[in-house]
Amino acid sequence: MANFKGHALPGSFFLIVGLWWSVKYPLKYFYQKAKSSQLTRYYQRLEVTEAAIRTLFSVIGILAEQFVPDGPHLHLSHENNWVKLMNWQHSTMYLFFAVSGIMDMLTYLITHIPLGLDRLVMAVAAFNEGFLFYYHVHNRPPLDQHIHSLLLYIVFGGALGLALEVILRDNIVLELFRTSLIILQGTWFWQIGFVLYPPFGAPEWDQKDHDNIMFITMCFCWHYLAALCIVALGYSLVFCVLTRAKRPGEREIIGIQKLKSGHTYQTALLNGSDE
Amino acid sequence: MANFKGHALPGSFFLIVGLWWSVKYPLKYFYQKAKSSQLTRYYQRLEVTEAAIRTLFSVIGILAEQFVPDGPHLHLSHENNWVKLMNWQHSTMYLFFAVSGIMDMLTYLITHIPLGLDRLVMAVAAFNEGFLFYYHVHNRPPLDQHIHSLLLYIVFGGALGLALEVILRDNIVLELFRTSLIILQGTWFWQIGFVLYPPFGAPEWDQKDHDNIMFITMCFCWHYLAALCIVALGYSLVFCVLTRAKRPGEREIIGIQKLKSGHTYQTALLNGSDE
Amino acid sequence: MANFKGHALPGSFFLIVGLWWSVKYPLKYFYQKAKSSQLTRYYQRLEVTEAAIRTLFSVIGILAEQFVPDGPHLHLSHENNWVKLMNWQHSTMYLFFAVSGIMDMLTYLITHIPLGLDRLVMAVAAFNEGFLFYYHVHNRPPLDQHIHSLLLYIVFGGALGLALEVILRDNIVLELFRTSLIILQGTWFWQIGFVLYPPFGAPEWDQKDHDNIMFITMCFCWHYLAALCIVALGYSLVFCVLTRAKRPGEREIIGIQKLKSGHTYQTALLNGSDE
Amino acid sequence: MANFKGHALPGSFFLIVGLWWSVKYPLKYFYQKAKSSQLTRYYQRLEVTEAAIRTLFSVIGILAEQFVPDGPHLHLSHENNWVKLMNWQHSTMYLFFAVSGIMDMLTYLITHIPLGLDRLVMAVAAFNEGFLFYYHVHNRPPLDQHIHSLLLYIVFGGALGLALEVILRDNIVLELFRTSLIILQGTWFWQIGFVLYPPFGAPEWDQKDHDNIMFITMCFCWHYLAALCIVALGYSLVFCVLTRAKRPGEREIIGIQKLKSGHTYQTALLNGSDE
């Protein structure tokens, strides 16, 4: 994993999931208002399919970590030495995401599983990733350590948001927040690859220069800003497509009522301006 | 306590409580839907019995810590030196769990105790365990310190979950989370025993090797995965037994409605697929 | 303040407030069920009186800190040196508690102040105490530093609980939790006095002995256990007195219904056993 | 920025926003009770205008940071060295506040943006400011580091409060808390300017003196007390003006009912005293 490809690959994966979620959750949000049983059935199949794909990719990740040429090939210890602990740790991270995917599938397929468990297991998977990373990055050059430790903000932030979703399920703000974080994680993995293992013969970065660390910190903020813009774009796209689709048949897909408990005053404001 | 048995014993205790809870809470969850006053009366007796047994074992733990041959025998200081502070600290931990057990009993027996106090006292007991452990593990070899400090994640995580249960009482997700943590604590105590005091003439672990620390960190994640699987097994088992029991008499024990406030859309989805 | 009396005084003050609260909040809890407008009017006067007394004592505290013989007498700097910063810091702590007392009075006297502000200001006062203590205890012997830093658990725990009360107002569990913490703070100040400035010619403690630190940590847990017992005693006392008072006139002061949203199942359990 | 003006400018800006908010939120609170659609339409325009002005000032801030004589003029790197990273970091902070302003405008102008996103983005902007500051103040003299790090309490406290507002929207207590924090930030920036770059030929502060650090810590508390007083003044002012305005026409602008769920008992108390 300690090369450019090893960061670009998970980066791309997180990015794709993030882009997909930036379309999926707005879709769900607008469909929720439509309250058509037809749509909800479709949506459920979508969720199961997504969870299945996520599980599949996690399993592929585990196999790849184990059976790459210099991988451990499922050997844990050899002559009293641990074999390729790095690969084993990455396998463990994937394993938790696989379990989270399975839990998602079960929640949508079996009625008798209490809602919220899927979010709890996903929160545990995110926490676990951060937990392993935290003990992972000791004894490295300052820049390497710093650039990896910034991942912890993403992962623990995501775990916190997911834990809140156990209680506040189907809250669009939390879902978009999670989406922005996973996009950030995707682009940040790419950034790590470019900084630590510059491809295309680019010059090496001085890993002890304090200015580089200051720049990377700021760069992290820019990445998040980009992630927020991508989420906003996805949301607008879905809104435009649905509004256009609505025109001809005049079917009311997007409800105008925004009434939620506690938001009544605000709603009054917003409706007031629509009259 | 600084031997294999001293870790296997509390480990087994936590494990048994965890296994029992992994059956109890799913049972309660399904019975809640049945709303039979007969069942709820049985359930209450169960809770009181469990709390009584927990209190009893905590008291036994205190006595064992005090009156083992090399224990303090209730002497706190001797010639201006503190006597066996380790044993006293363990006694204190058990004492809080005993108080928590008594509080549980009182809550179910006396109507005029406000609900939530039992969870608060249990959260305090868990926090107290972590608090004492935190100041406990200084000045030890790195592996010893690390393997014990991982317990803090379990204990403070449990305390946080319990504090949430003060407000969100009878939330099955929080209860299963707590169950998984106590199982993890049980298996982790066994792991500590095997690592620090290898039984059966197994070779000693190098307590300063960084690879050992990395492996133990990962091993902790595996233990939690195992704990999650045990909870899932307990849940499935209860579900299967109850479903089979339901058949003959056609009495509706397991309600199908999953309607909880805020989960309505999700419910619509799930019901939609059942039609 | 760096003497026995300087710790016994605030300790006694916190202890008295705690003992009073351990009676007041159970009283309120039982009166809430009675829903008599007569009682609520009395209760309001009680709150205003308490807040006035708390404000008064805080002002006395400020004056004492300023005008003791070796106090700063309101001089802040002298010839480019700060004068008696310790006393000024203590004055600041008292000042925040005075403001909190004033806020409490205003909340009960003026209808147009939003509820929750009084708890917010009290949380700020508690946080402020912890904040000043945190930067206060550097550069002292280990035991002195440790015994003072344990106060931070109390104060920040209290601030967190108070912040929760902004949203969950009149929650008896949170109120009793707060009560137990303030009693703990009272007894702990006394403990600090006895350890750091042993009165009655008792021998000095070795401030660098690690065993002393371990004992003090455990001692802190015992103090909290004692605080919990005091709260339990206060609650039982109020309950007994009210139940006895109820007998003759048969007026239903203590409602039996425990129905709160989300607690219905539990309630069914408890009522079930009463039938 | 490392001069008096560089701190006085943002200080004034935060102070003006804080003063404005200390009038705006009480106004909203009282208007909410009036439930006049006329007023709510005015209020909405106000919010949009405010957000537009905030965005404008943030953009001016970015431009100022970039195009001051010794600014980077949009050059990020020059001959493999980063150019004026300090200015770039400040630009990044302003950029997030600009995005937050835009989000606010969109939320009030476009009906189909879910409520709460504006608060989430503002929380992100506050967190981002703290995040950059945290990595910003290393390698400076103790007093400089301390006085800047106190800003983190304000900023992370504000971010936490804003995150809570995502769920508890239009909660006056949270809004006034946020107002007090932004006033504190304003006055604290002025204080930093006075301490680190004394104007008017005042003597320099000894940046390594521990007494200075102790004084500054306490001074921070006094600033917050002042901020609380300013908020209280703003609230009283609005209340008085509205009450006076109400007299002649007898139109009921300020509702007396304080009934909110969970506050019923308290309300009974307060109403009781009005009769």
Side-chain angles (χ1 to χ4, degrees), chain B residues 76-124:
Chain B
L76 184 54
S77 77
H78 180 69
E79 287 173 7
N80 266 324
N81 285 315
W82 302 110
V83 177
K84 301 272 172 196
L85 276 181
M86 210 67 136
N87 293 54
W88 275 102
Q89 291 209 347
H90 292 141
S91 299
T92 305
M93 291 181 196
Y94 286 125
L95 187 55
F96 269 82
F97 283 111
V99 170
S100 159
I102 292 168
M103 193 68 220
D104 272 37
M105 276 193 281
L106 291 177
T107 302
Y108 285 99
L109 289 175
I110 302 174
T111 317
H112 294 292
I113 292 179
L115 291 171
L117 276 185
D118 49 348
R119 300 298 147 92
L120 180 72
V121 174
M122 211 192 268
V124 165

Side-chain angles (χ1 to χ4, degrees), chain C residues 51-82:
Chain C
I53 293 171
R54 261 193 293 141
T55 310
L56 185 72
F57 272 88
S58 303
V59 171
I60 291 173
I62 296 170
L63 295 178
E65 286 287 341
Q66 290 291 332
F67 297 106
V68 286
D70 63 339
H73 294 80
L74 294 179
H75 295 292
L76 184 53
S77 76
H78 180 69
E79 286 175 6
N80 267 323
N81 285 314
W82 302 110

Side-chain angles (χ1 to χ4, degrees), chain A residues 28 31-32 40-41 43-44 76 82 85-86 88-89 92 95-96 99 107-108 110-117 120 124 127-128 131-132 134-135 138-139 166-167 169-170, chain B residues 29-30 146 150 153 168 172-173 176-177 205 210-212 214-215 217-218 220-222 224-225 228 235 239 254-256 258 262-263 265-267 269-270 272-275:
Chain A
K28 189 176 85 170
Y31 280 165
Q32 279 183 345
T40 50
R41 214 166 303 171
Y43 180 72
Q44 189 194 14
L76 185 53
W82 303 109
L85 277 179
M86 210 68 138
W88 275 101
Q89 291 209 347
T92 304
L95 187 55
F96 269 81
V99 170
T107 302
Y108 284 99
I110 303 175
T111 318
H112 294 291
I113 292 179
L115 291 171
L117 276 185
L120 180 72
V124 165
F127 181 85
N128 175 64
F131 173 78
L132 285 175
Y134 177 75
Y135 289 107
H138 289 304
N139 307 320
V166 171
I167 296 157
R169 198 184 177 83
D170 290 324
Chain B
Y29 178 64
F30 290 121
H146 182 65
L150 290 177
Y153 286 94
L168 300 164
I172 180 73
V173 178
L176 292 182
F177 177 58
W205 288 52
H210 186 251
D211 262 19
N212 280 341
M214 269 184 76
F215 171 72
T217 310
M218 186 170 56
F220 186 72
C221 298
W222 296 353
Y224 191 56
L225 210 57
L228 284 180
Y235 190 88
F239 177 64
I254 307 164
I256 313 169
K258 259 187 153 175
H263 292 181
Y265 172 60
Q266 198 65 29
T267 312
L269 280 184
L270 292 162
S273 70
D274 279 351
E275 285 160 23

Side-chain angles (χ1 to χ4, degrees), chain C residues 10-11 17 47 51 61 64 86 102 107 118 122 131 139 146 180 190 209 235 264:
Chain C
V17 173
E47 282 282 6
M86 210 67 136
I102 293 168
T107 302
D118 50 346
M122 211 193 268
F131 173 78
N139 308 319
H146 182 66
S180 71
W190 275 91
D209 184 14
Y235 191 88
T264 42

Side-chain angles (χ1 to χ4, degrees), chain C residues 6-38:
Chain C
H7 285 87
L9 224 81
S12 308
F13 179 67
F14 285 122
L15 199 53
I16 289 165
V17 173
L19 290 173
W20 159 233
W21 281 2
S22 74
V23 174
K24 185 183 81 168
Y25 287 119
L27 258 177
K28 188 175 85 170
Y29 177 65
F30 290 120
Y31 280 165
Q32 277 183 346
K33 297 177 177 170
K35 287 173 188 166
S36 140
S37 68
Q38 184 73 27

Side-chain angles (χ1 to χ4, degrees), chain D residues 125-146:
Chain D
F127 181 85
N128 173 66
E129 189 192 337
F131 173 79
L132 284 174
F133 258 114
Y134 176 76
Y135 290 107
H136 197 92
V137 295
H138 289 304
N139 308 318
R140 301 211 193 161
L143 184 64
D144 189 340
Q145 199 166 329
H146 183 66

Side-chain angles (χ1 to χ4, degrees), chain B residues 28 31-32 40-41 43-44 76 82 85-86 88-89 92 95-96 99 107-108 110-117 120-121 124 127-128 131-132 134-136 138-139 166-167 169-170, chain C residues 29-30 33 146 150 153 168 172-173 176-177 205 210-212 214-215 217-218 220-222 224-225 228 235 239 254-256 258 262-263 265-267 269-275:
Chain B
K28 188 175 86 171
Y31 280 165
Q32 278 182 344
T40 50
R41 213 164 304 169
Y43 179 74
Q44 189 193 13
L76 184 54
W82 302 110
L85 276 181
M86 210 67 136
W88 275 102
Q89 291 209 347
T92 305
L95 187 55
F96 269 82
V99 170
T107 302
Y108 285 99
I110 302 174
T111 317
H112 294 292
I113 292 179
L115 291 171
L117 276 185
L120 180 72
V121 174
V124 165
F127 181 84
N128 174 64
F131 173 78
L132 284 174
Y134 177 75
Y135 289 106
H136 197 93
H138 289 305
N139 307 320
V166 171
I167 296 156
R169 199 183 177 85
D170 290 325
Chain C
Y29 177 65
F30 290 120
K33 297 177 177 170
H146 182 66
L150 290 177
Y153 286 93
L168 301 164
I172 181 73
V173 178
L176 292 181
F177 177 59
W205 289 52
H210 187 251
D211 262 19
N212 280 340
M214 269 184 78
F215 170 73
T217 311
M218 185 169 57
F220 186 71
C221 298
W222 296 351
Y224 192 55
L225 210 58
L228 284 180
Y235 191 88
F239 178 65
I254 306 164
I256 313 169
K258 258 186 157 176
H263 292 181
Y265 173 60
Q266 199 64 29
T267 313
L269 279 185
L270 293 162
N271 289 349
S273 70
D274 279 350
E275 284 161 24

